[in-house]
């Protein structure tokens, strides 16, 4: 994709993102992607940008892994476009069957994530997707889960990256593709 075309699409997506100060608690500036979901053209543009990035940078992808919960909104659409499967990484206690779990820190708390132990086969090439990268805790937990399943993490995809929080540093050596940076 030409740089001007990417920039035009990026600006379009950015115009849909709303900022809410002091949500969910004082001092947090929440970036809301819900307006993107309400607009079919905007949602399609997000998936276009992800698909173009993946096809340009990753020769073979076996599985798209979506992070609870907003990664579930974009991940299946991208997986369908790529013709690959989709896997859920959920908050602890939300998946049936045998699961693998990892504890991690959030921007404003602690949590635990899990994946079904047979969701990804050893050696499969996976892309992780979520709506936002802040401190990197959630995506880092997903990377750790994929390591436990012996999958190969190709990279991480997000709509928004909060650069000042240095979340991408926590994910190194894995690449992070973000459509919008604040």
């Amino acid at each position: 994709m030409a740089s001007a075309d990417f920039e035009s699409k990026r600006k379009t997506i950015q115009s849909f993102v709303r900022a809410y100060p002091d949500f969910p608690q004082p001092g947090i500036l929440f970036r809301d992607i819900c307006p993107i979901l309400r607009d079919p053209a905007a949602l399609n543009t997000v998936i276009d940008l992800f698909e173009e990035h993946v096809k340009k940078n990753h020769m073979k992808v076996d599985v798209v892994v979506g992070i609870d919960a907003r990664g579930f909104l974009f991940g299946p659409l991208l997986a369908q476009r790529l013709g690959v499967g989709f896997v859920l990484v959920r908050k602890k206690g939300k998946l049936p069957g045998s699961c693998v779990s990892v504890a991690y820190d959030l921007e404003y708390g602690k949590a635990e994530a899990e994946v079904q132990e047979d969701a990804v086969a050893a050696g499969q090439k996976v892309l992780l997707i979520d709506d936002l990268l802040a401190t990197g805790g959630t995506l880092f937990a997903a990377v750790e889960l994929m390591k436990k399943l012996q999958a190969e993490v190709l990279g991480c995809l997000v709509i928004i990256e909060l650069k000042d929080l240095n979340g991408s540093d926590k994910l190194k050596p894995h690449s992070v593709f973000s459509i919008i940076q604040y």
Side-chain angles (χ1 to χ4, degrees):
M1 169 179 15
S3 175
D5 187 37
F6 174 83
E7 187 58 24
S8 171
K9 289 179 178 182
R10 188 195 69 74
K11 285 184 178 180
T12 296
I13 297 308
Q14 190 167 16
S15 73
F16 282 87
V17 177
R18 293 185 299 192
Y20 288 94
D22 299 321
F23 182 83
Q25 67 184 45
I28 303 291
L29 179 60
F30 187 85
R31 302 289 180 167
D32 181 22
I33 52 93
C34 289
I36 293 170
L37 299 170
R38 286 195 301 266
D39 187 284
L43 180 56
N44 197 53
T45 298
V46 167
I47 303 306
D48 285 347
L49 291 170
F50 283 147
E51 180 185 19
E52 290 166 11
H53 170 78
V54 171
K55 287 184 173 179
K56 180 179 176 185
N57 294 283
H58 303 290
M59 298 299 287
K60 181 171 179 3
V61 176
D62 297 311
V63 177
V64 173
V65 177
I67 313 304
D68 197 343
R70 292 178 195 91
F72 301 171
L73 303 172
F74 304 97
L77 298 173
L78 178 60
Q80 184 178 38
R81 290 255 193 110
L82 298 174
V84 301
F86 177 74
V87 167
L88 308 170
V89 168
R90 302 239 25 215
K91 293 176 179 88
K92 186 161 179 66
K94 300 291 184 179
L95 290 171
S98 296
C99 295
V100 176
S101 65
V102 165
Y104 64 100
D105 293 324
L106 293 166
E107 302 83 79
Y108 42 84
K110 293 188 180 295
E112 198 166 347
E114 64 185 8
V115 64
Q116 290 172 316
E117 68 180 17
D118 63 352
V120 177
Q124 282 193 302
K125 297 175 185 315
V126 303
L127 286 170
L128 304 175
I129 189 167
D130 205 356
D131 66 325
L132 178 100
L133 172 60
T135 62
T138 307
L139 275 167
F140 181 78
V143 167
E144 292 301 302
L145 286 171
M146 293 302 107
K147 284 182 186 176
K148 284 186 173 189
L149 296 179
Q150 300 176 349
E152 179 184 341
V153 176
L154 299 174
C156 304
L157 309 170
V158 295
I159 297 171
I160 299 169
E161 181 178 358
L162 304 178
K163 297 292 272 185
D164 289 349
L165 297 178
N166 302 313
S168 59
D169 290 346
K170 188 171 195 161
L171 298 169
K172 287 180 180 174
H174 305 291
S175 65
V176 174
F177 171 74
S178 54
I179 296 171
I180 302 165
Q181 299 84 34
Y182 291 103

